[in-house]
Amino acid sequence: MSILCGKDILRTDLISDEELGLILSVAARFERVLDGGGRLNNMEGLVLATLFFEPSTRTRLSFETAMQRLGGSVITVADPKTSSAAKGESLADSMRTVEGYADLIAIRHPRKGAAQEAADAVQVPVINAGDGTGQHPTQALLDVYTIQKERDSLEGLTVTLAGDLKNGRTVHSLVYLLARFGVRLRLISPPSLEMPAEITEELRQGGADVDAGDDLAAAMGESDVVYVTRIQRERFEDPAEYERLKGSYVVDMPMVRQAKPGITIMHPLPRVSEIAPEVDAYEGAAYFRQAANGVPIRMALLALLAGRE
Ligand code: CP
């Protein structure tokens, strides 16, 4: 039985090194089977519920694809207006109800901490598919998987994370995983959108090489990977402040040509204007391959949590 069987996936800092290695290796195995034209039925007879109380394209659809590629079934709330949350039902009551229908639950919610609250209400495995400005652990897992595939290894890399590091939950999850591989982290943001201090302090106390600043072009000159993020409009109380900051960074081909040769460009997507469309043709532009990697990673997670790997 897998060491992950029956567990929740809520935060990357709660995933052990052994669990991380297992998830990455099972994902690679599943991907090889699919690439070879094989079929998998590990999750046959099981049901995944995807409860999304915030918009999503990649996370929800790749979870659902993953479950279907493993022979399982999916039930979904894709729009909270169509669920009884709109009538005032509590999150705990919704979870206890869905637990009667599904064997695993993936939840996205606008409130930080909601995934933990959801997991506390039920016995079935719960996966945090993004909780407000908190974490997005499955995104970070597919990000690490992508860097491994694009660069062969994470050892010795310098990775720049750029954009809205205050509100971006993907980077809050990713830094904990990158630090484990000894990656040098360069955190680039406008001063008001810096990575929360408690996260950088925890990383530094753990021995990570973390440097913060606001000059993206300089950071790209010394980076093997740049991970660009969107300024998170939905997290701003003041629309004028969002308007002031939304164009802070735009990666275009002149910037890529000035960067370290061969730099890998990533983005969790959706992008707004942070990466110019002209960059899509650059061979190191990995963001759509990155999105596709969500399927094998989520297949691995679902199978491991269900004890069906
Ligand atoms: N990366 C990501 O979480 O995308 P979605 O919001 O489309 O799920």
Side-chain angles (χ1 to χ4, degrees):
M1 192 66 76
S2 146
I3 50 172
L4 278 158
C5 183
K7 288 198 173 179
D8 304 312
I9 299 290
L10 301 175
R11 307 174 51 87
T12 52
D13 43 326
L14 299 178
I15 298 173
S16 71
D17 289 347
E18 191 184 357
E19 290 167 344
L20 174 60
L22 186 61
I23 294 163
L24 296 172
S25 67
V26 172
R29 173 158 58 85
F30 283 165
E31 188 173 8
R32 279 195 299 275
V33 172
L34 294 184
D35 286 350
R39 293 171 70 91
L40 292 158
N41 61 357
N42 305 50
M43 300 296 277
E44 193 174 350
L46 298 184
V47 176
L48 167 71
T50 53
L51 305 184
F52 277 61
F53 298 102
E54 263 194 346
S56 169
T57 297
R58 280 145 290 274
T59 310
R60 188 174 64 82
L61 295 181
S62 63
F63 260 118
E64 296 184 3
T65 303
M67 191 64 175
Q68 291 176 19
R69 293 241 184 268
L70 288 167
S73 307
V74 177
I75 56 174
T76 192
V77 170
D79 177 355
K81 290 198 284 294
T82 66
S83 82
S84 283
K87 301 178 199 162
E89 184 172 51
S90 71
L91 178 60
D93 281 3
S94 295
M95 292 297 293
R96 290 173 69 181
T97 302
V98 174
E99 183 181 31
Y101 310 145
D103 303 287
L104 306 98
I105 302 174
I107 181 167
R108 171 169 290 189
H109 198 283
R111 184 162 45 79
K112 182 179 176 181
Q116 178 70 63
E117 188 182 313
D120 290 344
V122 296
Q123 302 299 315
V124 297
V126 172
I127 304 172
N128 179 6
D131 62 330
T133 59
Q135 284 220 11
H136 192 350
T138 66
Q139 176 70 45
L141 289 164
L142 77 88
D143 294 337
V144 166
Y145 186 68
T146 299
I147 298 173
Q148 274 192 341
K149 284 176 67 179
E150 298 285 326
R151 310 289 314 196
D152 292 331
S153 164
L154 285 90
E155 311 297 333
L157 295 184
T158 298
V159 177
T160 288
L161 308 180
D164 186 350
L165 306 186
K166 175 184 174 192
N167 298 305
R169 57 194 172 202
T170 67
V171 289
H172 298 168
S173 288
L174 182 56
V175 286
Y176 289 110
L177 297 187
L178 294 179
R180 295 199 204 175
F181 290 93
V183 164
R184 287 184 294 278
L185 291 167
R186 300 291 173 258
L187 307 179
I188 302 297
S189 67
S192 61
L193 297 178
E194 283 178 355
M195 179 71 72
E198 65 269 21
I199 296 180
T200 45
E201 276 162 27
E202 192 180 338
L203 293 169
R204 286 188 176 122
Q205 277 170 11
D209 176 347
V210 184
D211 194 23
D214 62 5
D215 187 343
L216 179 56
M220 285 174 64
E222 59 165 81
S223 294
D224 304 288
V225 177
V226 61
Y227 185 100
V228 187
T229 65
R230 179 176 63 91
I231 307 292
Q232 308 262 305
R233 182 179 55 185
E234 64 274 29
R235 312 293 178 209
F236 280 70
E237 287 175 12
D238 178 2
E241 182 66 356
Y242 170 73
E243 290 299 320
R244 189 177 73 79
L245 292 171
K246 69 179 183 187
S248 297
Y249 301 110
V250 179
V251 174
D252 55 15
M253 276 316 292
M255 274 187 90
V256 174
R257 282 191 280 269
Q258 301 259 313
K260 186 171 178 180
I263 190 169
T264 299
I265 302 175
M266 297 175 63
H267 192 308
L269 304 177
R271 72 173 149 183
V272 183
S273 58
E274 319 73 60
I275 300 178
E278 66 187 16
V279 177
D280 298 1
Y282 165 64
E283 64 178 11
Y287 27 94
F288 291 112
R289 296 191 290 275
Q290 181 184 351
N293 288 332
V295 174
I297 278 291
R298 292 179 172 117
M299 288 173 72
L301 280 170
L302 293 170
L304 285 163
L305 299 185
R308 296 278 191 97
E309 75 281 12

